[in-house]
Amino acid sequence: MSAKRYLMQEITWPEFQERVGQEIIMLPTGSLEQHGPHLPLGVDVIIPTNLALRTAERLGQGIIAPALGYGYKSQPTSGGGPLFPGTTSFDGITLILALRDILRDLARQGARKFLVFNGHYENVAFVTEAAELLIRDHNPDGDIKLVIVSWWDLISDEVRDACFSEIGFPGWDTEHAALVETAMMRVFAPELVRDDLVLDDQAERIPNYQVFPPPADIIPASGVLYKATYGTRERGEMIVDQVVDEIVAIARREFVEGESA
């Protein structure tokens, strides 16, 4: 089945009008953020967009809205921070209102089922706030439902442990531009992975508090926060398959099965 069926920017307005009230509207959210010397700035958009596409194909339905390609500010110990050229971010209120406006306008046109695919660690609270505003202020009939998924939350302990069995799992906040994102990019966009620049790195220290401005020793110079050389395509396929299974199950439970109840 052609991918064009699912991408909002590739369907006509009459097609959209016919489907918007019946199908799940999928919105990828990410960031424009450094991901080391070996991965592109758009990793946090590429991954959730491809997860949305695979989910729609599995479900046989869904309209994937164009991804929101800017996210909340990269933080030093979870993304390297804003010091790296190319990292371009929203203030929190800007991200909340941009997401709120997109969701509100789609709801105005008849969308009632929303599935937000978050691909950027720092976005979580702001995506949640936008959802809260939509439901509080623009859902007078109470018939809108919105689900947010962040892909790292859906990786099972078994898959995580299998991927990190050789090196140990450092936590999702410090697993940036490292094993998992490198592995998933080898599945979704292998042509964008610079194989000759893949490396392992780590901050000299990882404090359990925040410092402004951030000191240099908590940010690796490469922007890689852990071990990217372990990010193989085999591990990527394992992760992607399991995450898509989880998202499809969530979508069926929250949107599809409810229709027949």
Side-chain angles (χ1 to χ4, degrees):
M1 195 173 291
S2 171
K4 292 183 179 180
R5 174 179 174 180
Y6 304 112
L7 299 177
M8 184 174 171
Q9 65 265 34
E10 295 182 356
I11 64 177
T12 67
W13 74 261
E15 292 170 333
F16 179 78
Q17 183 180 49
E18 181 180 356
R19 296 166 52 187
V20 63
Q22 304 301 318
E23 300 191 30
I24 302 168
I25 304 299
M26 302 179 181
L27 176 61
T29 64
S31 70
L32 191 64
E33 177 188 36
Q34 76 83 21
H35 280 79
H38 67 293
L39 294 177
L41 294 165
V43 164
D44 290 349
V45 170
I46 293 168
I47 289 176
T49 299
N50 279 277
L51 289 172
L53 183 54
R54 289 200 179 193
T55 300
E57 289 171 341
R58 283 272 300 277
L59 292 171
Q61 65 132 307
I63 298 173
I64 303 171
L68 185 59
Y70 296 93
Y72 183 63
K73 303 178 186 73
S74 176
Q75 297 301 300
T77 58
S78 57
L83 301 178
F84 292 85
T87 297
T88 309
S89 307
F90 279 153
D91 286 344
I93 188 63
T94 307
L95 176 58
I96 291 168
L97 295 179
L99 282 168
R100 192 247 1 229
D101 287 358
I102 293 168
L103 296 169
R104 180 181 62 186
D105 215 37
L106 289 166
R108 177 187 62 80
Q109 297 173 67
R112 290 297 177 266
K113 297 178 286 188
F114 293 94
L115 182 53
V116 178
F117 290 72
N118 178 42
H120 181 52
Y121 189 82
E122 286 88 343
N123 278 355
V124 174
F126 306 98
V127 175
T128 302
E129 179 67 5
E132 292 274 8
L133 293 178
L134 174 74
I135 299 301
R136 186 190 72 185
D137 299 334
H138 305 289
N139 187 27
D141 299 323
D143 57 351
I144 292 175
K145 190 172 193 177
L146 187 148
V147 173
I148 302 166
V149 294
S150 295
W151 57 259
W152 51 90
D153 289 334
L154 305 179
I155 298 176
S156 69
D157 292 347
E158 292 76 15
V159 168
R160 182 200 63 201
D161 292 346
C163 289
F164 287 90
S165 61
E166 300 171 67
I167 56 176
F169 178 60
W172 289 120
D173 52 344
T174 52
E175 225 292 303
H176 176 79
L179 185 155
V180 176
E181 287 183 314
T182 302
M184 294 175 80
M185 285 295 290
R186 290 194 185 280
V187 175
F188 291 140
E191 72 282 1
L192 298 181
V193 180
R194 282 66 164 180
D195 288 309
D196 57 327
L197 299 176
V198 179
L199 54 82
D200 298 336
D201 205 354
Q202 202 164 0
E204 294 178 34
R205 65 184 178 102
I206 303 174
N208 58 357
Y209 53 88
Q210 294 178 293
V211 184
F212 297 92
D217 65 344
I218 70 172
I219 307 171
S222 67
V224 175
L225 304 192
Y226 199 47
K227 300 182 184 298
T229 61
Y230 289 82
T232 64
R233 185 183 179 97
E234 180 183 18
R235 289 187 171 101
E237 293 283 6
M238 185 191 319
I239 294 164
V240 168
D241 288 347
Q242 195 253 315
V243 169
V244 172
D245 284 347
E246 290 291 326
I247 299 172
V248 169
I250 290 167
R252 286 177 174 153
R253 180 168 59 248
E254 299 296 337
F255 299 115
V256 180
E257 292 174 5
E259 293 174 352
S260 57

